[in-house]
mmCIF file with all atom_site columns, all heavy atoms in Angstrom:
data_model
loop_
_atom_site.group_PDB
_atom_site.id
_atom_site.type_symbol
_atom_site.label_atom_id
_atom_site.label_alt_id
_atom_site.label_comp_id
_atom_site.label_asym_id
_atom_site.label_entity_id
_atom_site.label_seq_id
_atom_site.pdbx_PDB_ins_code
_atom_site.Cartn_x
_atom_site.Cartn_y
_atom_site.Cartn_z
_atom_site.occupancy
_atom_site.B_iso_or_equiv
_atom_site.pdbx_formal_charge
_atom_site.auth_seq_id
_atom_site.auth_comp_id
_atom_site.auth_asym_id
_atom_site.auth_atom_id
_atom_site.pdbx_PDB_model_num
ATOM 1   N N   . LEU A 1 7   ? 95.455  -31.258 -21.640 1.00 0.00 ? 7   LEU A N   1
ATOM 2   C CA  . LEU A 1 7   ? 95.905  -30.621 -20.403 1.00 0.00 ? 7   LEU A CA  1
ATOM 3   C C   . LEU A 1 7   ? 94.748  -30.558 -19.415 1.00 0.00 ? 7   LEU A C   1
ATOM 4   O O   . LEU A 1 7   ? 93.576  -30.511 -19.805 1.00 0.00 ? 7   LEU A O   1
ATOM 5   C CB  . LEU A 1 7   ? 96.428  -29.223 -20.702 1.00 0.00 ? 7   LEU A CB  1
ATOM 6   C CG  . LEU A 1 7   ? 97.564  -29.148 -21.730 1.00 0.00 ? 7   LEU A CG  1
ATOM 7   C CD1 . LEU A 1 7   ? 97.930  -27.693 -22.004 1.00 0.00 ? 7   LEU A CD1 1
ATOM 8   C CD2 . LEU A 1 7   ? 98.771  -29.952 -21.283 1.00 0.00 ? 7   LEU A CD2 1
ATOM 9   N N   . GLU A 1 22  ? 106.225 -31.967 -26.673 1.00 0.00 ? 22  GLU A N   1
ATOM 10  C CA  . GLU A 1 22  ? 106.617 -30.734 -25.986 1.00 0.00 ? 22  GLU A CA  1
ATOM 11  C C   . GLU A 1 22  ? 106.166 -30.700 -24.531 1.00 0.00 ? 22  GLU A C   1
ATOM 12  O O   . GLU A 1 22  ? 106.569 -29.796 -23.793 1.00 0.00 ? 22  GLU A O   1
ATOM 13  C CB  . GLU A 1 22  ? 106.025 -29.535 -26.732 1.00 0.00 ? 22  GLU A CB  1
ATOM 14  C CG  . GLU A 1 22  ? 106.550 -29.378 -28.138 1.00 0.00 ? 22  GLU A CG  1
ATOM 15  C CD  . GLU A 1 22  ? 105.850 -28.288 -28.923 1.00 0.00 ? 22  GLU A CD  1
ATOM 16  O OE1 . GLU A 1 22  ? 105.152 -27.454 -28.307 1.00 0.00 ? 22  GLU A OE1 1
ATOM 17  O OE2 . GLU A 1 22  ? 106.004 -28.266 -30.154 1.00 0.00 ? 22  GLU A OE2 1
ATOM 18  N N   . LEU A 1 30  ? 100.057 -30.512 -15.752 1.00 0.00 ? 30  LEU A N   1
ATOM 19  C CA  . LEU A 1 30  ? 99.134  -31.596 -15.439 1.00 0.00 ? 30  LEU A CA  1
ATOM 20  C C   . LEU A 1 30  ? 98.353  -31.953 -16.706 1.00 0.00 ? 30  LEU A C   1
ATOM 21  O O   . LEU A 1 30  ? 97.879  -31.073 -17.417 1.00 0.00 ? 30  LEU A O   1
ATOM 22  C CB  . LEU A 1 30  ? 98.179  -31.158 -14.326 1.00 0.00 ? 30  LEU A CB  1
ATOM 23  C CG  . LEU A 1 30  ? 97.184  -32.205 -13.822 1.00 0.00 ? 30  LEU A CG  1
ATOM 24  C CD1 . LEU A 1 30  ? 97.907  -33.394 -13.186 1.00 0.00 ? 30  LEU A CD1 1
ATOM 25  C CD2 . LEU A 1 30  ? 96.230  -31.570 -12.818 1.00 0.00 ? 30  LEU A CD2 1
ATOM 26  N N   . HIS A 1 31  ? 98.254  -33.251 -16.983 1.00 0.00 ? 31  HIS A N   1
ATOM 27  C CA  . HIS A 1 31  ? 97.537  -33.692 -18.176 1.00 0.00 ? 31  HIS A CA  1
ATOM 28  C C   . HIS A 1 31  ? 96.937  -35.079 -17.944 1.00 0.00 ? 31  HIS A C   1
ATOM 29  O O   . HIS A 1 31  ? 97.252  -35.751 -16.966 1.00 0.00 ? 31  HIS A O   1
ATOM 30  C CB  . HIS A 1 31  ? 98.440  -33.673 -19.411 1.00 0.00 ? 31  HIS A CB  1
ATOM 31  C CG  . HIS A 1 31  ? 99.635  -34.555 -19.310 1.00 0.00 ? 31  HIS A CG  1
ATOM 32  N ND1 . HIS A 1 31  ? 100.779 -34.187 -18.644 1.00 0.00 ? 31  HIS A ND1 1
ATOM 33  C CD2 . HIS A 1 31  ? 99.868  -35.796 -19.783 1.00 0.00 ? 31  HIS A CD2 1
ATOM 34  C CE1 . HIS A 1 31  ? 101.673 -35.151 -18.722 1.00 0.00 ? 31  HIS A CE1 1
ATOM 35  N NE2 . HIS A 1 31  ? 101.142 -36.151 -19.403 1.00 0.00 ? 31  HIS A NE2 1
ATOM 36  N N   . TRP A 1 37  ? 97.274  -52.581 -17.168 1.00 0.00 ? 37  TRP A N   1
ATOM 37  C CA  . TRP A 1 37  ? 97.847  -53.854 -16.746 1.00 0.00 ? 37  TRP A CA  1
ATOM 38  C C   . TRP A 1 37  ? 97.229  -54.950 -17.601 1.00 0.00 ? 37  TRP A C   1
ATOM 39  O O   . TRP A 1 37  ? 96.009  -55.028 -17.724 1.00 0.00 ? 37  TRP A O   1
ATOM 40  C CB  . TRP A 1 37  ? 97.539  -54.101 -15.273 1.00 0.00 ? 37  TRP A CB  1
ATOM 41  C CG  . TRP A 1 37  ? 98.254  -53.148 -14.379 1.00 0.00 ? 37  TRP A CG  1
ATOM 42  C CD1 . TRP A 1 37  ? 97.888  -51.870 -14.067 1.00 0.00 ? 37  TRP A CD1 1
ATOM 43  C CD2 . TRP A 1 37  ? 99.480  -53.383 -13.700 1.00 0.00 ? 37  TRP A CD2 1
ATOM 44  N NE1 . TRP A 1 37  ? 98.802  -51.304 -13.232 1.00 0.00 ? 37  TRP A NE1 1
ATOM 45  C CE2 . TRP A 1 37  ? 99.796  -52.217 -12.987 1.00 0.00 ? 37  TRP A CE2 1
ATOM 46  C CE3 . TRP A 1 37  ? 100.337 -54.482 -13.620 1.00 0.00 ? 37  TRP A CE3 1
ATOM 47  C CZ2 . TRP A 1 37  ? 100.938 -52.101 -12.203 1.00 0.00 ? 37  TRP A CZ2 1
ATOM 48  C CZ3 . TRP A 1 37  ? 101.469 -54.376 -12.845 1.00 0.00 ? 37  TRP A CZ3 1
ATOM 49  C CH2 . TRP A 1 37  ? 101.765 -53.197 -12.146 1.00 0.00 ? 37  TRP A CH2 1
ATOM 50  N N   . LYS A 1 43  ? 98.500  -64.724 -15.019 1.00 0.00 ? 43  LYS A N   1
ATOM 51  C CA  . LYS A 1 43  ? 99.771  -64.005 -14.918 1.00 0.00 ? 43  LYS A CA  1
ATOM 52  C C   . LYS A 1 43  ? 99.574  -62.566 -15.377 1.00 0.00 ? 43  LYS A C   1
ATOM 53  O O   . LYS A 1 43  ? 98.600  -62.233 -16.046 1.00 0.00 ? 43  LYS A O   1
ATOM 54  C CB  . LYS A 1 43  ? 100.847 -64.695 -15.746 1.00 0.00 ? 43  LYS A CB  1
ATOM 55  C CG  . LYS A 1 43  ? 101.218 -66.056 -15.172 1.00 0.00 ? 43  LYS A CG  1
ATOM 56  C CD  . LYS A 1 43  ? 102.424 -66.615 -15.853 1.00 0.00 ? 43  LYS A CD  1
ATOM 57  C CE  . LYS A 1 43  ? 102.816 -67.928 -15.165 1.00 0.00 ? 43  LYS A CE  1
ATOM 58  N NZ  . LYS A 1 43  ? 104.000 -68.505 -15.782 1.00 0.00 ? 43  LYS A NZ  1
ATOM 59  N N   . VAL A 1 46  ? 104.752 -57.578 -17.291 1.00 0.00 ? 46  VAL A N   1
ATOM 60  C CA  . VAL A 1 46  ? 105.567 -56.407 -16.985 1.00 0.00 ? 46  VAL A CA  1
ATOM 61  C C   . VAL A 1 46  ? 106.483 -56.179 -18.183 1.00 0.00 ? 46  VAL A C   1
ATOM 62  O O   . VAL A 1 46  ? 106.908 -57.133 -18.845 1.00 0.00 ? 46  VAL A O   1
ATOM 63  C CB  . VAL A 1 46  ? 106.369 -56.531 -15.670 1.00 0.00 ? 46  VAL A CB  1
ATOM 64  C CG1 . VAL A 1 46  ? 105.441 -56.501 -14.472 1.00 0.00 ? 46  VAL A CG1 1
ATOM 65  C CG2 . VAL A 1 46  ? 107.237 -57.761 -15.653 1.00 0.00 ? 46  VAL A CG2 1
ATOM 66  N N   . ALA A 1 50  ? 111.664 -49.193 -23.535 1.00 0.00 ? 50  ALA A N   1
ATOM 67  C CA  . ALA A 1 50  ? 112.759 -49.096 -24.496 1.00 0.00 ? 50  ALA A CA  1
ATOM 68  C C   . ALA A 1 50  ? 113.796 -48.086 -24.012 1.00 0.00 ? 50  ALA A C   1
ATOM 69  O O   . ALA A 1 50  ? 113.455 -47.082 -23.364 1.00 0.00 ? 50  ALA A O   1
ATOM 70  C CB  . ALA A 1 50  ? 112.217 -48.686 -25.862 1.00 0.00 ? 50  ALA A CB  1
ATOM 71  N N   . PRO A 1 57  ? 113.730 -44.462 -19.358 1.00 0.00 ? 57  PRO A N   1
ATOM 72  C CA  . PRO A 1 57  ? 114.198 -45.491 -20.289 1.00 0.00 ? 57  PRO A CA  1
ATOM 73  C C   . PRO A 1 57  ? 114.770 -46.683 -19.526 1.00 0.00 ? 57  PRO A C   1
ATOM 74  O O   . PRO A 1 57  ? 115.431 -46.518 -18.503 1.00 0.00 ? 57  PRO A O   1
ATOM 75  C CB  . PRO A 1 57  ? 115.283 -44.769 -21.088 1.00 0.00 ? 57  PRO A CB  1
ATOM 76  C CG  . PRO A 1 57  ? 115.751 -43.665 -20.195 1.00 0.00 ? 57  PRO A CG  1
ATOM 77  C CD  . PRO A 1 57  ? 114.541 -43.250 -19.399 1.00 0.00 ? 57  PRO A CD  1
ATOM 78  N N   . TRP A 1 60  ? 111.548 -51.119 -15.627 1.00 0.00 ? 60  TRP A N   1
ATOM 79  C CA  . TRP A 1 60  ? 110.457 -52.091 -15.648 1.00 0.00 ? 60  TRP A CA  1
ATOM 80  C C   . TRP A 1 60  ? 109.183 -51.433 -15.141 1.00 0.00 ? 60  TRP A C   1
ATOM 81  O O   . TRP A 1 60  ? 109.219 -50.640 -14.199 1.00 0.00 ? 60  TRP A O   1
ATOM 82  C CB  . TRP A 1 60  ? 110.810 -53.304 -14.785 1.00 0.00 ? 60  TRP A CB  1
ATOM 83  C CG  . TRP A 1 60  ? 111.806 -54.194 -15.466 1.00 0.00 ? 60  TRP A CG  1
ATOM 84  C CD1 . TRP A 1 60  ? 113.165 -54.146 -15.333 1.00 0.00 ? 60  TRP A CD1 1
ATOM 85  C CD2 . TRP A 1 60  ? 111.528 -55.223 -16.411 1.00 0.00 ? 60  TRP A CD2 1
ATOM 86  N NE1 . TRP A 1 60  ? 113.742 -55.098 -16.131 1.00 0.00 ? 60  TRP A NE1 1
ATOM 87  C CE2 . TRP A 1 60  ? 112.756 -55.784 -16.805 1.00 0.00 ? 60  TRP A CE2 1
ATOM 88  C CE3 . TRP A 1 60  ? 110.342 -55.740 -16.960 1.00 0.00 ? 60  TRP A CE3 1
ATOM 89  C CZ2 . TRP A 1 60  ? 112.847 -56.825 -17.722 1.00 0.00 ? 60  TRP A CZ2 1
ATOM 90  C CZ3 . TRP A 1 60  ? 110.439 -56.784 -17.876 1.00 0.00 ? 60  TRP A CZ3 1
ATOM 91  C CH2 . TRP A 1 60  ? 111.678 -57.312 -18.244 1.00 0.00 ? 60  TRP A CH2 1
ATOM 92  N N   . GLY A 1 71  ? 88.954  -35.708 -27.141 1.00 0.00 ? 71  GLY A N   1
ATOM 93  C CA  . GLY A 1 71  ? 87.666  -36.279 -27.498 1.00 0.00 ? 71  GLY A CA  1
ATOM 94  C C   . GLY A 1 71  ? 87.598  -37.797 -27.476 1.00 0.00 ? 71  GLY A C   1
ATOM 95  O O   . GLY A 1 71  ? 86.534  -38.363 -27.732 1.00 0.00 ? 71  GLY A O   1
ATOM 96  N N   . THR A 1 74  ? 88.784  -42.819 -22.700 1.00 0.00 ? 74  THR A N   1
ATOM 97  C CA  . THR A 1 74  ? 90.024  -43.419 -22.209 1.00 0.00 ? 74  THR A CA  1
ATOM 98  C C   . THR A 1 74  ? 90.068  -44.918 -22.476 1.00 0.00 ? 74  THR A C   1
ATOM 99  O O   . THR A 1 74  ? 91.121  -45.448 -22.853 1.00 0.00 ? 74  THR A O   1
ATOM 100 C CB  . THR A 1 74  ? 90.219  -43.108 -20.714 1.00 0.00 ? 74  THR A CB  1
ATOM 101 O OG1 . THR A 1 74  ? 90.157  -41.693 -20.531 1.00 0.00 ? 74  THR A OG1 1
ATOM 102 C CG2 . THR A 1 74  ? 91.568  -43.603 -20.223 1.00 0.00 ? 74  THR A CG2 1
ATOM 103 N N   . PHE A 1 84  ? 99.392  -50.294 -30.502 1.00 0.00 ? 84  PHE A N   1
ATOM 104 C CA  . PHE A 1 84  ? 100.621 -49.584 -30.864 1.00 0.00 ? 84  PHE A CA  1
ATOM 105 C C   . PHE A 1 84  ? 101.842 -50.129 -30.118 1.00 0.00 ? 84  PHE A C   1
ATOM 106 O O   . PHE A 1 84  ? 102.885 -50.376 -30.718 1.00 0.00 ? 84  PHE A O   1
ATOM 107 C CB  . PHE A 1 84  ? 100.470 -48.087 -30.595 1.00 0.00 ? 84  PHE A CB  1
ATOM 108 C CG  . PHE A 1 84  ? 101.720 -47.317 -30.917 1.00 0.00 ? 84  PHE A CG  1
ATOM 109 C CD1 . PHE A 1 84  ? 102.064 -47.044 -32.232 1.00 0.00 ? 84  PHE A CD1 1
ATOM 110 C CD2 . PHE A 1 84  ? 102.557 -46.874 -29.904 1.00 0.00 ? 84  PHE A CD2 1
ATOM 111 C CE1 . PHE A 1 84  ? 103.221 -46.345 -32.528 1.00 0.00 ? 84  PHE A CE1 1
ATOM 112 C CE2 . PHE A 1 84  ? 103.723 -46.175 -30.196 1.00 0.00 ? 84  PHE A CE2 1
ATOM 113 C CZ  . PHE A 1 84  ? 104.049 -45.910 -31.513 1.00 0.00 ? 84  PHE A CZ  1
ATOM 114 N N   . ASP A 1 102 ? 90.637  -42.683 -9.796  1.00 0.00 ? 102 ASP A N   1
ATOM 115 C CA  . ASP A 1 102 ? 91.133  -41.397 -9.293  1.00 0.00 ? 102 ASP A CA  1
ATOM 116 C C   . ASP A 1 102 ? 92.645  -41.347 -9.110  1.00 0.00 ? 102 ASP A C   1
ATOM 117 O O   . ASP A 1 102 ? 93.160  -40.447 -8.445  1.00 0.00 ? 102 ASP A O   1
ATOM 118 C CB  . ASP A 1 102 ? 90.451  -41.078 -7.956  1.00 0.00 ? 102 ASP A CB  1
ATOM 119 C CG  . ASP A 1 102 ? 88.948  -40.952 -8.110  1.00 0.00 ? 102 ASP A CG  1
ATOM 120 O OD1 . ASP A 1 102 ? 88.505  -40.389 -9.128  1.00 0.00 ? 102 ASP A OD1 1
ATOM 121 O OD2 . ASP A 1 102 ? 88.209  -41.453 -7.235  1.00 0.00 ? 102 ASP A OD2 1
ATOM 122 N N   . PHE A 1 103 ? 93.365  -42.290 -9.713  1.00 0.00 ? 103 PHE A N   1
ATOM 123 C CA  . PHE A 1 103 ? 94.814  -42.313 -9.559  1.00 0.00 ? 103 PHE A CA  1
ATOM 124 C C   . PHE A 1 103 ? 95.436  -41.120 -10.289 1.00 0.00 ? 103 PHE A C   1
ATOM 125 O O   . PHE A 1 103 ? 95.069  -40.788 -11.413 1.00 0.00 ? 103 PHE A O   1
ATOM 126 C CB  . PHE A 1 103 ? 95.396  -43.615 -10.108 1.00 0.00 ? 103 PHE A CB  1
ATOM 127 C CG  . PHE A 1 103 ? 96.878  -43.731 -9.931  1.00 0.00 ? 103 PHE A CG  1
ATOM 128 C CD1 . PHE A 1 103 ? 97.410  -44.040 -8.692  1.00 0.00 ? 103 PHE A CD1 1
ATOM 129 C CD2 . PHE A 1 103 ? 97.733  -43.522 -10.993 1.00 0.00 ? 103 PHE A CD2 1
ATOM 130 C CE1 . PHE A 1 103 ? 98.788  -44.138 -8.515  1.00 0.00 ? 103 PHE A CE1 1
ATOM 131 C CE2 . PHE A 1 103 ? 99.112  -43.620 -10.834 1.00 0.00 ? 103 PHE A CE2 1
ATOM 132 C CZ  . PHE A 1 103 ? 99.637  -43.931 -9.590  1.00 0.00 ? 103 PHE A CZ  1
ATOM 133 N N   . ARG A 1 106 ? 102.792 -37.486 -9.636  1.00 0.00 ? 106 ARG A N   1
ATOM 134 C CA  . ARG A 1 106 ? 103.836 -36.612 -10.164 1.00 0.00 ? 106 ARG A CA  1
ATOM 135 C C   . ARG A 1 106 ? 105.153 -37.250 -9.772  1.00 0.00 ? 106 ARG A C   1
ATOM 136 O O   . ARG A 1 106 ? 105.351 -37.623 -8.609  1.00 0.00 ? 106 ARG A O   1
ATOM 137 C CB  . ARG A 1 106 ? 103.730 -35.210 -9.575  1.00 0.00 ? 106 ARG A CB  1
ATOM 138 C CG  . ARG A 1 106 ? 104.731 -34.232 -10.184 1.00 0.00 ? 106 ARG A CG  1
ATOM 139 C CD  . ARG A 1 106 ? 104.617 -32.838 -9.560  1.00 0.00 ? 106 ARG A CD  1
ATOM 140 N NE  . ARG A 1 106 ? 105.449 -31.874 -10.231 1.00 0.00 ? 106 ARG A NE  1
ATOM 141 C CZ  . ARG A 1 106 ? 106.786 -31.791 -10.101 1.00 0.00 ? 106 ARG A CZ  1
ATOM 142 N NH1 . ARG A 1 106 ? 107.442 -32.618 -9.300  1.00 0.00 ? 106 ARG A NH1 1
ATOM 143 N NH2 . ARG A 1 106 ? 107.462 -30.868 -10.763 1.00 0.00 ? 106 ARG A NH2 1
ATOM 144 N N   . ALA A 1 107 ? 106.042 -37.422 -10.743 1.00 0.00 ? 107 ALA A N   1
ATOM 145 C CA  . ALA A 1 107 ? 107.342 -38.048 -10.481 1.00 0.00 ? 107 ALA A CA  1
ATOM 146 C C   . ALA A 1 107 ? 108.386 -37.420 -11.397 1.00 0.00 ? 107 ALA A C   1
ATOM 147 O O   . ALA A 1 107 ? 108.070 -36.959 -12.491 1.00 0.00 ? 107 ALA A O   1
ATOM 148 C CB  . ALA A 1 107 ? 107.265 -39.555 -10.714 1.00 0.00 ? 107 ALA A CB  1
ATOM 149 N N   . CYS A 1 119 ? 95.731  -40.129 -14.055 1.00 0.00 ? 119 CYS A N   1
ATOM 150 C CA  . CYS A 1 119 ? 96.085  -41.371 -14.735 1.00 0.00 ? 119 CYS A CA  1
ATOM 151 C C   . CYS A 1 119 ? 95.251  -42.558 -14.244 1.00 0.00 ? 119 CYS A C   1
ATOM 152 O O   . CYS A 1 119 ? 95.742  -43.399 -13.482 1.00 0.00 ? 119 CYS A O   1
ATOM 153 C CB  . CYS A 1 119 ? 97.572  -41.617 -14.488 1.00 0.00 ? 119 CYS A CB  1
ATOM 154 S SG  . CYS A 1 119 ? 98.282  -42.960 -15.418 1.00 0.00 ? 119 CYS A SG  1
ATOM 155 N N   . ALA A 1 128 ? 94.168  -66.112 -24.633 1.00 0.00 ? 128 ALA A N   1
ATOM 156 C CA  . ALA A 1 128 ? 95.292  -67.041 -24.509 1.00 0.00 ? 128 ALA A CA  1
ATOM 157 C C   . ALA A 1 128 ? 95.941  -67.365 -25.851 1.00 0.00 ? 128 ALA A C   1
ATOM 158 O O   . ALA A 1 128 ? 97.154  -67.609 -25.910 1.00 0.00 ? 128 ALA A O   1
ATOM 159 C CB  . ALA A 1 128 ? 94.827  -68.323 -23.819 1.00 0.00 ? 128 ALA A CB  1
ATOM 160 N N   . ASN A 1 135 ? 106.334 -53.470 -29.858 1.00 0.00 ? 135 ASN A N   1
ATOM 161 C CA  . ASN A 1 135 ? 106.995 -52.462 -30.670 1.00 0.00 ? 135 ASN A CA  1
ATOM 162 C C   . ASN A 1 135 ? 108.352 -52.159 -30.019 1.00 0.00 ? 135 ASN A C   1
ATOM 163 O O   . ASN A 1 135 ? 108.394 -51.675 -28.884 1.00 0.00 ? 135 ASN A O   1
ATOM 164 C CB  . ASN A 1 135 ? 106.103 -51.215 -30.710 1.00 0.00 ? 135 ASN A CB  1
ATOM 165 C CG  . ASN A 1 135 ? 106.696 -50.060 -31.461 1.00 0.00 ? 135 ASN A CG  1
ATOM 166 O OD1 . ASN A 1 135 ? 107.889 -50.008 -31.735 1.00 0.00 ? 135 ASN A OD1 1
ATOM 167 N ND2 . ASN A 1 135 ? 105.857 -49.094 -31.781 1.00 0.00 ? 135 ASN A ND2 1
ATOM 168 N N   . ASP A 1 137 ? 110.329 -49.782 -30.312 1.00 0.00 ? 137 ASP A N   1
ATOM 169 C CA  . ASP A 1 137 ? 110.496 -48.375 -29.944 1.00 0.00 ? 137 ASP A CA  1
ATOM 170 C C   . ASP A 1 137 ? 109.845 -48.069 -28.597 1.00 0.00 ? 137 ASP A C   1
ATOM 171 O O   . ASP A 1 137 ? 110.077 -47.007 -28.021 1.00 0.00 ? 137 ASP A O   1
ATOM 172 C CB  . ASP A 1 137 ? 109.891 -47.458 -31.004 1.00 0.00 ? 137 ASP A CB  1
ATOM 173 C CG  . ASP A 1 137 ? 110.662 -47.492 -32.305 1.00 0.00 ? 137 ASP A CG  1
ATOM 174 O OD1 . ASP A 1 137 ? 111.881 -47.767 -32.279 1.00 0.00 ? 137 ASP A OD1 1
ATOM 175 O OD2 . ASP A 1 137 ? 110.041 -47.262 -33.362 1.00 0.00 ? 137 ASP A OD2 1
ATOM 176 N N   . ALA A 1 148 ? 101.754 -62.644 -7.209  1.00 0.00 ? 148 ALA A N   1
ATOM 177 C CA  . ALA A 1 148 ? 102.397 -62.668 -5.893  1.00 0.00 ? 148 ALA A CA  1
ATOM 178 C C   . ALA A 1 148 ? 103.888 -62.390 -5.998  1.00 0.00 ? 148 ALA A C   1
ATOM 179 O O   . ALA A 1 148 ? 104.469 -61.701 -5.145  1.00 0.00 ? 148 ALA A O   1
ATOM 180 C CB  . ALA A 1 148 ? 102.146 -64.004 -5.196  1.00 0.00 ? 148 ALA A CB  1
ATOM 181 N N   . PHE A 1 161 ? 111.536 -50.434 -10.473 1.00 0.00 ? 161 PHE A N   1
ATOM 182 C CA  . PHE A 1 161 ? 110.299 -50.262 -11.236 1.00 0.00 ? 161 PHE A CA  1
ATOM 183 C C   . PHE A 1 161 ? 109.933 -48.782 -11.361 1.00 0.00 ? 161 PHE A C   1
ATOM 184 O O   . PHE A 1 161 ? 110.409 -47.946 -10.608 1.00 0.00 ? 161 PHE A O   1
ATOM 185 C CB  . PHE A 1 161 ? 109.162 -51.012 -10.536 1.00 0.00 ? 161 PHE A CB  1
ATOM 186 C CG  . PHE A 1 161 ? 109.442 -52.481 -10.365 1.00 0.00 ? 161 PHE A CG  1
ATOM 187 C CD1 . PHE A 1 161 ? 109.841 -52.988 -9.137  1.00 0.00 ? 161 PHE A CD1 1
ATOM 188 C CD2 . PHE A 1 161 ? 109.320 -53.355 -11.432 1.00 0.00 ? 161 PHE A CD2 1
ATOM 189 C CE1 . PHE A 1 161 ? 110.108 -54.340 -8.977  1.00 0.00 ? 161 PHE A CE1 1
ATOM 190 C CE2 . PHE A 1 161 ? 109.580 -54.702 -11.280 1.00 0.00 ? 161 PHE A CE2 1
ATOM 191 C CZ  . PHE A 1 161 ? 109.977 -55.200 -10.049 1.00 0.00 ? 161 PHE A CZ  1
ATOM 192 N N   . SER A 1 162 ? 109.040 -48.504 -12.301 1.00 0.00 ? 162 SER A N   1
ATOM 193 C CA  . SER A 1 162 ? 108.583 -47.128 -12.474 1.00 0.00 ? 162 SER A CA  1
ATOM 194 C C   . SER A 1 162 ? 107.858 -46.660 -11.216 1.00 0.00 ? 162 SER A C   1
ATOM 195 O O   . SER A 1 162 ? 107.207 -47.451 -10.528 1.00 0.00 ? 162 SER A O   1
ATOM 196 C CB  . SER A 1 162 ? 107.647 -47.024 -13.684 1.00 0.00 ? 162 SER A CB  1
ATOM 197 O OG  . SER A 1 162 ? 106.427 -47.685 -13.432 1.00 0.00 ? 162 SER A OG  1
ATOM 198 N N   . SER A 1 172 ? 95.218  -51.636 -2.711  1.00 0.00 ? 172 SER A N   1
ATOM 199 C CA  . SER A 1 172 ? 94.703  -53.002 -2.564  1.00 0.00 ? 172 SER A CA  1
ATOM 200 C C   . SER A 1 172 ? 93.691  -53.364 -3.660  1.00 0.00 ? 172 SER A C   1
ATOM 201 O O   . SER A 1 172 ? 93.563  -54.544 -4.017  1.00 0.00 ? 172 SER A O   1
ATOM 202 C CB  . SER A 1 172 ? 94.067  -53.193 -1.188  1.00 0.00 ? 172 SER A CB  1
ATOM 203 O OG  . SER A 1 172 ? 92.998  -52.298 -1.006  1.00 0.00 ? 172 SER A OG  1
ATOM 204 N N   . LEU A 1 174 ? 93.923  -52.676 -6.875  1.00 0.00 ? 174 LEU A N   1
ATOM 205 C CA  . LEU A 1 174 ? 94.669  -53.189 -8.028  1.00 0.00 ? 174 LEU A CA  1
ATOM 206 C C   . LEU A 1 174 ? 95.230  -54.563 -7.710  1.00 0.00 ? 174 LEU A C   1
ATOM 207 O O   . LEU A 1 174 ? 95.158  -55.473 -8.524  1.00 0.00 ? 174 LEU A O   1
ATOM 208 C CB  . LEU A 1 174 ? 95.789  -52.227 -8.441  1.00 0.00 ? 174 LEU A CB  1
ATOM 209 C CG  . LEU A 1 174 ? 96.596  -52.736 -9.636  1.00 0.00 ? 174 LEU A CG  1
ATOM 210 C CD1 . LEU A 1 174 ? 95.720  -52.905 -10.877 1.00 0.00 ? 174 LEU A CD1 1
ATOM 211 C CD2 . LEU A 1 174 ? 97.765  -51.820 -9.942  1.00 0.00 ? 174 LEU A CD2 1
ATOM 212 N N   . ARG A 1 175 ? 95.802  -54.714 -6.532  1.00 0.00 ? 175 ARG A N   1
ATOM 213 C CA  . ARG A 1 175 ? 96.353  -56.042 -6.177  1.00 0.00 ? 175 ARG A CA  1
ATOM 214 C C   . ARG A 1 175 ? 95.257  -57.109 -6.252  1.00 0.00 ? 175 ARG A C   1
ATOM 215 O O   . ARG A 1 175 ? 95.495  -58.197 -6.743  1.00 0.00 ? 175 ARG A O   1
ATOM 216 C CB  . ARG A 1 175 ? 96.980  -56.007 -4.790  1.00 0.00 ? 175 ARG A CB  1
ATOM 217 C CG  . ARG A 1 175 ? 98.323  -55.282 -4.802  1.00 0.00 ? 175 ARG A CG  1
ATOM 218 C CD  . ARG A 1 175 ? 99.053  -55.409 -3.476  1.00 0.00 ? 175 ARG A CD  1
ATOM 219 N NE  . ARG A 1 175 ? 100.332 -54.726 -3.554  1.00 0.00 ? 175 ARG A NE  1
ATOM 220 C CZ  . ARG A 1 175 ? 101.460 -55.203 -3.073  1.00 0.00 ? 175 ARG A CZ  1
ATOM 221 N NH1 . ARG A 1 175 ? 101.483 -56.376 -2.470  1.00 0.00 ? 175 ARG A NH1 1
ATOM 222 N NH2 . ARG A 1 175 ? 102.570 -54.540 -3.190  1.00 0.00 ? 175 ARG A NH2 1
#
Side-chain angles (χ1 to χ4, degrees):
L7 303 176
E22 297 174 15
L30 183 63
H31 60 279
W37 292 82
K43 293 190 176 181
V46 291
W60 285 93
T74 305
F84 179 76
D102 299 321
F103 182 76
R106 185 181 187 285
C119 188
N135 177 344
D137 292 333
F161 302 102
S162 69
S172 60
L174 180 61
R175 285 188 179 223

